[in-house]
Amino acid sequence: MADTQTVETEPEKKQRSVRVVLLALMITMMLAMLDNMIVGTAMPTIVGELGGLEHLSWVVTAYTLATAAATPLWGKLGDMYGRKGVFMTSIVLFLIGSALSGMAQDMGQLIGFRAVQGLGAGGLMVGVMAIIGDLIPPRERGKYQGMMAGVMALAMIGGPLVGGTITDNWGWRWSFYINLPLGVVALGLISVVLHLPAKRAQARIDYLGAALLTVGITSIVLVTTWGGTQYAWTSARIMELIGIGVAALVGFVFWQTKAAEPVVPLHIFRSRNFTLMSIIGFITGFVMFGATLFLPLYQQSVQGASATNSGLLLLPMLGAMLVTSMVAGRVTTNSGRYYVFPVLGSVLMVIGLYLLSTMDTGTSRLTSGIFMAVVGLGMGCLMQITMLVAQNSVEMKDMGVASSSTTLFRTLGSSFGVAIMGALFNHRVQDTMADRGGALGSKVTEQSAQLDAKSLEKLPDAVREAYQYAVSAGTHSAFLLGSIVAVVALVAAVFVKEVPLKGAGPQKSADDAAPAPLVEV
């Protein structure tokens, strides 16, 4: 009788253990997503205390660069030396960077410490996705999409609110210190509950490949960050960076065919589904971060919305994304099929972005909210399905690099989206202001095409109306470009080959066989 009771309660015990691990993973994912949004709200206060306004952009750029460059390396290290230890190392590095950033005494120190924080952050999202891929069979993985989408939506909505509250009441340093208790909780839970098979790779780390990839990614991110802002797109500096980036990436691809243990094994791209999901992930990042940049700007400048709770302005899009992601996850889990979601998501994204491009100075908040919801419905079908299909397209031994590569493509997509849509927006706003606002209009936007609420209030009525028209024209151009780019995701989605998800992970060869991962309390 006792033995029967033990057998009956074992599945419940295992399920409870998985939930505890997932709680720790969600906390870690929250750390990764919240940081930039909280810090962004605190930046005016930070500059006021530390000075160094001319280096302000590097506080964000250093973090973004380090995160993008480190992402594929963390995934490969997890595949080679075991997921748990590598993941915990990335959390510790992130927390060290957070603590040091909070103690920074000048802008130079803050930029350096933010780079340390970014190096750790590169392993957070990848670790979460890869560990979920190890623990949960593909057929069951869809159920947890809603949780991940919920964390993402909560971070985007709550980040500015939390950042403002912390800065106003505790001081800007707590924007970094707040990571420490959350990180310690996540570390404790992972250390006690998560047990994965230990690994020890015989091959050495591909240092040359890592260096070439880092140089290539750094060049790309700098081009998209500096182009059209600090340097003209045709300037010598931008051209140099493009040349260095292309040369490094070509060298990287060539070297990956020779390396004993490549950072990004090129054979994973032989899977049609993996390659298509990488393309769709890139486009999703392009669209999503462009939308989150320009929608609040449009609503504040044209519709007169308050900037205080800027995250709430995106609620229609993020709420729709959350609901759709949960539904898609449940349907995928119950049926084991997923083809419809990339196609439907891409169609909705194209339609939603086109609808957003039709907004003008007379568009109501209700109408723009409906348009945002359509985009959110599309992204909800795509956000987690891309990772699920990508992971299902590779062997278990490549789970880390599959997760990191998919994350990297989305990150690079966001960099390109913000840069290209931003350049198009700025150009359109400045041209329109020159046409409709005359000499004063050109002078108003010669420094920046994005004006804050205080600057808008000081403008004469005629110039303010011209600026509102210019912003609506700029958002029209940006979202129209987004809808055209989203067509690429639709074409890619059509060619996805549906491989029904099974109750277990991808089959491993005899050489790759390893003990099943254990999760214990």
Side-chain angles (χ1 to χ4, degrees), residues 350-433:
V350 171
I351 293 173
L353 288 164
Y354 176 75
L355 291 174
L356 287 176
S357 75
T358 65
M359 296 190 302
D360 55 28
T361 54
T363 304
S364 67
R365 292 191 191 181
L366 175 61
T367 302
S368 61
I370 293 172
F371 294 169
M372 281 191 282
V374 176
V375 176
L377 291 173
M379 289 195 296
C381 292
L382 295 173
M383 287 300 293
Q384 305 305 331
I385 287 290
T386 51
M387 181 65 73
L388 172 63
V389 177
Q391 290 180 336
N392 194 54
S393 303
V394 301
E395 299 179 43
M396 287 294 289
K397 67 183 180 67
D398 293 323
M399 186 67 69
V401 291
S403 302
S404 63
S405 297
T406 306
T407 303
L408 176 62
F409 277 108
R410 187 177 297 172
T411 301
L412 294 178
S414 68
S415 294
F416 276 92
V418 170
I420 296 174
M421 293 173 76
L424 188 62
F425 172 86
N426 291 339
H427 181 72
R428 186 71 186 274
V429 168
Q430 288 169 344
D431 283 354
T432 306
M433 285 296 285

Side-chain angles (χ1 to χ4, degrees), residues 162-174:
V162 173
T165 302
I166 290 175
T167 303
D168 291 342
N169 293 283
W170 298 349
W172 67 266
R173 296 182 186 277
W174 278 96

Side-chain angles (χ1 to χ4, degrees), residues 231-287:
Y231 300 96
W233 284 105
T234 55
S235 67
R237 179 61 55 87
I238 296 299
M239 292 296 107
E240 288 170 2
L241 285 171
I242 291 174
I244 292 170
V246 171
L249 292 178
V250 170
F252 170 76
V253 171
F254 173 77
W255 178 248
Q256 294 307 279
T257 64
K258 308 293 184 183
E261 194 65 48
V263 176
V264 180
L266 298 183
H267 66 78
I268 62 177
F269 291 98
R270 293 175 190 159
S271 166
R272 182 171 75 182
N273 276 5
F274 182 84
T275 301
L276 292 173
M277 287 302 122
S278 298
I279 295 171
I280 294 173
F282 180 92
I283 302 299
T284 304
F286 187 105
V287 168

Side-chain angles (χ1 to χ4, degrees), residues 113-427:
F113 296 149
R114 283 282 282 166
V116 174
Q117 193 183 19
L119 288 174
L124 299 186
M125 190 72 76
V126 172
V128 169
M129 297 300 181
I131 289 173
I132 288 177
D134 275 350
L135 293 179
I136 301 169
R139 179 69 178 264
E140 299 297 316
R141 226 171 278 161
K143 289 193 296 187
Y144 302 97
Q145 289 181 94
M147 295 172 60
M148 288 182 265
V151 169
M152 186 176 295
L154 185 61
M156 289 184 173
I157 294 171
L161 296 174
V162 173
T165 302
I166 290 175
T167 303
D168 291 342
N169 293 283
W170 298 349
W172 67 266
R173 296 182 186 277
W174 278 96
S175 297
F176 298 104
Y177 293 150
I178 195 68
N179 293 330
L180 302 181
L182 292 174
V184 168
V185 170
L187 274 176
L189 291 174
I190 291 168
S191 176
V192 172
V193 181
L194 178 63
H195 298 274
L196 294 171
K199 297 179 183 178
R200 182 65 188 178
Q202 299 299 316
R204 296 181 60 188
I205 297 173
D206 178 15
Y207 292 106
L208 178 57
L212 288 170
L213 182 60
T214 299
V215 171
I217 292 173
T218 300
S219 300
I220 290 173
V221 175
L222 285 177
V223 166
T224 56
T225 303
W226 286 347
T229 54
Q230 290 182 269
Y231 300 96
W233 284 105
T234 55
S235 67
R237 179 61 55 87
I238 296 299
M239 292 296 107
E240 288 170 2
L241 285 171
I242 291 174
I244 292 170
V246 171
L249 292 178
V250 170
F252 170 76
V253 171
F254 173 77
W255 178 248
Q256 294 307 279
T257 64
K258 308 293 184 183
E261 194 65 48
V263 176
V264 180
L266 298 183
H267 66 78
I268 62 177
F269 291 98
R270 293 175 190 159
S271 166
R272 182 171 75 182
N273 276 5
F274 182 84
T275 301
L276 292 173
M277 287 302 122
S278 298
I279 295 171
I280 294 173
F282 180 92
I283 302 299
T284 304
F286 187 105
V287 168
M288 181 175 179
F289 286 89
T292 55
L293 175 64
F294 295 111
L295 281 171
L297 176 63
Y298 169 83
Q299 291 183 305
Q300 291 168 37
S301 301
V302 179
Q303 296 181 327
S306 168
T308 306
N309 300 328
S310 57
L312 296 176
L313 299 174
L314 298 173
L315 191 57
M317 183 177 74
L318 298 174
M321 185 178 76
L322 172 60
V323 171
T324 315
S325 186
M326 294 178 68
V327 172
R330 182 60 60 182
V331 172
T332 301
T333 296
N334 291 339
S335 67
R337 307 186 74 85
Y338 52 79
Y339 177 81
V340 65
F341 294 113
V343 175
L344 178 62
S346 300
V347 169
L348 288 171
M349 199 160 63
V350 171
I351 293 173
L353 288 164
Y354 176 75
L355 291 174
L356 287 176
S357 75
T358 65
M359 296 190 302
D360 55 28
T361 54
T363 304
S364 67
R365 292 191 191 181
L366 175 61
T367 302
S368 61
I370 293 172
F371 294 169
M372 281 191 282
V374 176
V375 176
L377 291 173
M379 289 195 296
C381 292
L382 295 173
M383 287 300 293
Q384 305 305 331
I385 287 290
T386 51
M387 181 65 73
L388 172 63
V389 177
Q391 290 180 336
N392 194 54
S393 303
V394 301
E395 299 179 43
M396 287 294 289
K397 67 183 180 67
D398 293 323
M399 186 67 69
V401 291
S403 302
S404 63
S405 297
T406 306
T407 303
L408 176 62
F409 277 108
R410 187 177 297 172
T411 301
L412 294 178
S414 68
S415 294
F416 276 92
V418 170
I420 296 174
M421 293 173 76
L424 188 62
F425 172 86
N426 291 339
H427 181 72

Side-chain angles (χ1 to χ4, degrees), residues 293-308 310 313 422 425-426 429-430 432-434 437 439-472 474-475:
L293 175 64
F294 295 111
L295 281 171
L297 176 63
Y298 169 83
Q299 291 183 305
Q300 291 168 37
S301 301
V302 179
Q303 296 181 327
S306 168
T308 306
S310 57
L313 299 174
F425 172 86
N426 291 339
V429 168
Q430 288 169 344
T432 306
M433 285 296 285
L440 180 57
S442 297
K443 186 175 181 180
V444 165
T445 57
E446 66 181 0
Q447 295 298 322
S448 174
Q450 302 177 25
L451 304 182
D452 57 28
K454 291 182 180 178
S455 300
L456 276 175
E457 291 173 1
K458 297 176 183 177
L459 296 177
D461 290 344
V463 178
R464 188 187 309 114
E465 290 176 6
Y467 181 71
Q468 290 174 336
Y469 181 86
V471 169
S472 65
T475 52

